Amino acid sequence: MEEIPGRVMNQGVLAPPAAFSTNAAAMAAPALSFVIPLYNCAPTIAAVVRDIEGIMIDGGHEIVLVNDGSTDTTAAVVRDLLRTARVPVSYIEHARNFGEHNAVLTGWRHARGAHVVNLDDDGQNPPAEAVRLWQHARTAGLDVVFGHYAEKQHSWWRNAGSWLTNRMTDWALDKPAGFYLSSFRCVSAFVTGQVTGYAGPYPYIDGLLLQVTQRIGSIEVRHVARQAGTSTYTLRRLIRLWLSAWINFSVYPLRVATVLGLILALAGLLAFGGVIYLWLTDRGPAFGWGSNTAALLVFSGVHLLLLGLIGEYVGRMFLAVNQRPQSVV
């Protein structure tokens, strides 16, 4: 661990960051913590930190940076920032890449603020908009405030994935229908304290938040285009996020599988009855290899799909029982 006066560089240490501060002012809990998960963001993170340093918060603020196994020069860039930062900064490194939601939970465990705001590392969430989330949470007495965008500056496929995720979570999670969930959110310290007790290897933060509180709100915020670099959020990562949202916090997929199996069973019984009727009346058509093979493929495909769904539940339970780490700091 490397200590810099007035700031904290917490690398490979599980104790609270404040324990390593050499500045008495930094010991006091700030009003707001900015938690930023980092992954291959060397071209963008310096500008994000400078923007946060430039805002004024009554009660002070801090920055918590969680490097989630970056393979570029992100670590070197952050170490340079620590030497010149004008606000308290905590820097935590994961031993490997665990995923955005895992990194956010690590950041929440090290954040000391009365409220915590999540920012992306690409600069698309202006810190001034984060302050608006915080102010709305305080004035409205809400535990969680999400930012929803009038216009998202993402690629079309990622916007489509976000839309699908929100539509599916309308019925998979206990949230108001149509309520937009986003990673740009302000959360009270009470809620972060409850949520960070979750130790499962596949966390889905919005699902955890909705299990803890229903005092949630949303305001419209700006979303700006990236100034540098490219998004590291791939289709594979989105699929992992969907699975975590639907399987970790809901049994609806299993119920859908049950209903689908029941429908197919009834269809099979009706078809069987039709075949018996045609046989008794000596009007049955001569079915060939093609029709039999098509039916076999349809039913076998459905069976494999349902078995895969059940296997996903069992596999995640297996990994949880075997205590697969959520993250390694």
Side-chain angles (χ1 to χ4, degrees):
M1 186 189 73
E2 177 181 350
E3 292 189 0
I4 299 173
R7 288 168 288 278
V8 178
M9 180 175 172
N10 184 8
Q11 180 180 335
V13 182
L14 294 175
F20 299 94
S21 175
T22 58
N23 188 325
M27 294 290 288
L32 184 62
S33 297
F34 291 86
V35 171
I36 309 175
L38 313 178
Y39 184 71
N40 291 349
C41 60
T44 59
I45 188 58
V48 174
V49 170
R50 298 304 180 215
D51 286 344
I52 296 174
E53 289 177 337
I55 64 176
M56 298 296 295
I57 298 290
D58 292 336
H61 59 291
E62 67 170 358
I63 304 173
V64 181
L65 305 174
V66 183
N67 189 351
D68 189 34
S70 298
T71 57
D72 65 352
T73 59
T74 295
V77 171
V78 172
R79 286 186 169 90
D80 289 338
L81 290 173
L82 289 169
R83 298 185 178 92
T84 59
R86 301 193 302 273
V87 298
V89 177
S90 299
Y91 175 50
I92 305 102
E93 285 189 350
H94 279 174
R96 67 170 180 84
N97 178 255
F98 286 91
E100 178 188 0
H101 288 238
N102 306 57
V104 168
L105 288 181
T106 294
W108 283 6
R109 292 185 180 103
H110 288 78
R112 300 176 296 119
H115 286 84
V116 179
V117 170
N118 295 127
L119 292 181
D120 289 338
D121 58 10
D122 54 15
Q124 293 191 272
N125 301 133
E129 298 296 278
V131 174
R132 290 184 56 229
L133 293 178
W134 170 63
Q135 292 172 338
H136 184 71
R138 290 198 308 166
T139 57
L142 299 173
D143 288 324
V144 184
V145 177
F146 293 94
H148 65 269
Y149 311 113
E151 181 179 359
K152 294 186 67 175
Q153 302 295 326
H154 283 152
S155 60
W156 69 268
W157 66 268
R158 185 170 173 184
N159 289 338
S162 297
W163 177 87
L164 178 61
T165 300
N166 272 278
R167 296 291 77 76
M168 295 298 289
T169 52
D170 281 344
W171 58 266
L173 299 179
D174 184 20
K175 78 179 181 72
F179 191 91
Y180 184 79
L181 302 175
S182 75
S183 60
F184 190 28
R185 62 178 85 82
C186 179
V187 184
S188 68
F190 160 73
V191 170
T192 61
Q194 298 294 318
V195 168
T196 51
Y198 179 79
Y202 296 103
Y204 179 62
I205 289 178
D206 294 329
L208 293 170
L209 293 174
L210 292 169
Q211 286 184 341
V212 171
T213 182
Q214 290 187 331
R215 295 188 298 181
I216 61 176
S218 177
I219 63 173
E220 185 175 299
V221 294
R222 289 187 299 115
H223 194 239
V224 301
R226 293 180 66 104
Q227 301 301 312
T230 58
S231 175
T232 57
Y233 228 100
T234 62
L235 180 60
R236 177 174 175 268
R237 290 173 180 267
L238 277 177
I239 292 175
R240 285 181 59 186
L241 181 62
W242 293 338
L243 289 175
S244 295
W246 302 332
I247 293 179
N248 287 20
F249 299 94
S250 176
V251 296
Y252 277 110
L254 288 177
R255 293 174 181 172
V256 170
T258 300
V259 173
L260 181 59
L262 179 62
I263 292 173
L264 290 175
L266 291 175
L269 287 175
L270 292 174
F272 180 73
V275 169
I276 295 296
Y277 170 77
L278 294 174
W279 178 75
L280 291 175
T281 58
D282 198 23
R283 293 185 295 176
F287 292 100
W289 177 88
S291 57
N292 288 332
T293 302
L296 179 63
L297 289 174
V298 170
F299 284 99
S300 298
V302 172
H303 291 162
L304 290 175
L305 175 63
L306 301 184
L307 286 174
L309 177 62
I310 296 171
E312 187 69 28
Y313 276 93
V314 174
R316 288 176 180 245
M317 286 190 291
F318 170 79
L319 293 174
V321 168
N322 281 272
Q323 298 182 347
R324 174 173 175 167
Q326 186 184 97
S327 61
V328 175
V329 174

